[in-house]
Amino acid sequence: MMADPQTDFEADRSSAASSGRFSGGDASSQSFVVRSFAWMFVGLALSAGIAAWFAANGNTAAYFEDHPLVFVGLLLAELGIVAGLGLGMRRIGAQTAAFLFCLFAGINGLVFSIVFSLYTSAEIAPAFAAAAGMFGAMVLYGYFTKRDLDSLGSLLFMGFVGLLLALLFNLIWASTALYWLTTLGGVAIFAGMTAWNVQKLKEMGAERSGVEAENMAIFGALLLCLEFANLFLYMLRFFGGPGGPGGSNS
């Protein structure tokens, strides 16, 4: 589910860092981060509500099983929204950005309704608690650390590419060992991405104002939603085990 078109995002941070004009801890920076997290919570609440509503309908999983192209279409729509918002945040209005964000959250909720219908509450609850705890810890680390996490970004990107290849390979090989390796790798990669993006939000907040700042706050919220969602999915792999949905039984 992860997509991260951060070209403009990265350029803005590099510009701010090279100019030396941001402290990352002033009032404007804090306000920017707060807005991003406010949007994130709105998105997660919308996704959770839609997921719970559709999961309550016992026909949801069966429908997507009978119409797999619809599911693929939803995933492509998510990727398109992420790419469109990331590339167009300087050119669209704040209302358009907010609409695209809410549309993404709604589609994400529909996708997660399948997860809720396949896993039990005994698996979902601890996975959510573990994901929330790790996400919160990495948010705090990313915000308060004095260490520059730029170098971590390239390593995370390489790790993400390797993770995708390993997941595709495991669809063919179906190895339990590779299942657990990709699960551990997924948790580590998306936890690191959370800290990395929070630090970027903190630094960029002191440089932006007006509509551009609001759009970037919304895009930052979208990235945080993606990272939390992926952490949750990989935690479900822990609690569901290799015999669970999407797991290996070998």
Side-chain angles (χ1 to χ4, degrees):
M1 293 178 61
M2 180 63 182
D4 205 0
Q6 298 181 4
T7 304
D8 289 342
F9 219 47
E10 289 293 337
D12 289 327
R13 190 192 182 197
S14 298
S15 174
S18 62
S19 68
R21 291 178 296 186
F22 69 88
S23 65
D26 59 15
S28 61
S29 176
Q30 293 171 8
S31 175
F32 181 85
V33 173
V34 168
R35 291 204 306 277
S36 283
F37 276 94
W39 276 110
M40 185 199 78
F41 287 124
V42 168
L44 291 178
L46 181 58
S47 294
I50 291 175
W53 191 86
F54 276 97
N57 180 352
N59 297 325
T60 302
Y63 175 82
F64 283 109
E65 185 176 352
D66 293 336
H67 304 83
L69 291 180
V70 175
F71 182 74
V72 173
L74 291 174
L75 294 180
L76 292 176
E78 284 190 295
L79 293 175
I81 292 171
V82 174
L85 186 56
L87 296 173
M89 60 182 149
R90 284 196 179 95
R91 296 179 289 275
I92 62 176
Q95 290 182 339
T96 302
F99 171 77
L100 289 174
F101 176 77
C102 291
L103 180 61
F104 169 85
I107 296 174
N108 204 42
L110 185 55
V111 171
F112 264 87
S113 68
I114 304 171
V115 177
F116 287 179
S117 65
L118 294 177
Y119 286 92
T120 67
S121 58
E123 294 167 335
I124 292 173
F128 180 84
M134 180 168 288
F135 182 83
M138 298 312 293
V139 165
L140 292 175
Y141 176 75
Y143 190 84
F144 289 107
T145 185
K146 302 300 182 182
R147 178 186 175 187
D148 187 347
L149 299 181
D150 273 345
S151 59
L152 181 63
S154 58
L155 293 176
L156 289 170
F157 178 76
M158 290 187 291
F160 176 65
V161 173
L163 177 65
L164 290 179
L165 294 175
L167 289 170
L168 290 174
F169 185 73
N170 202 37
L171 289 176
I172 301 171
W173 191 17
S175 164
T176 299
L178 190 55
Y179 172 91
W180 288 116
L181 180 62
T182 54
T183 299
L184 289 168
V187 170
I189 288 168
F190 289 108
M193 283 184 173
T194 299
W196 183 47
N197 278 325
V198 168
Q199 186 177 80
K200 285 192 292 184
L201 289 172
K202 177 183 175 183
E203 294 174 351
M204 288 168 50
E207 285 286 301
R208 298 290 173 257
S209 62
V211 173
E212 185 180 354
E214 190 66 20
N215 288 354
M216 287 186 173
I218 292 171
F219 184 62
L222 187 150
L223 295 178
L224 291 170
C225 285
L226 281 169
E227 286 147 6
F228 179 79
N230 279 282
L231 268 178
F232 175 52
L233 287 174
Y234 280 99
M235 285 297 180
L236 271 176
R237 287 164 64 94
F238 271 116
F239 290 95
S248 167
N249 291 301
S250 63

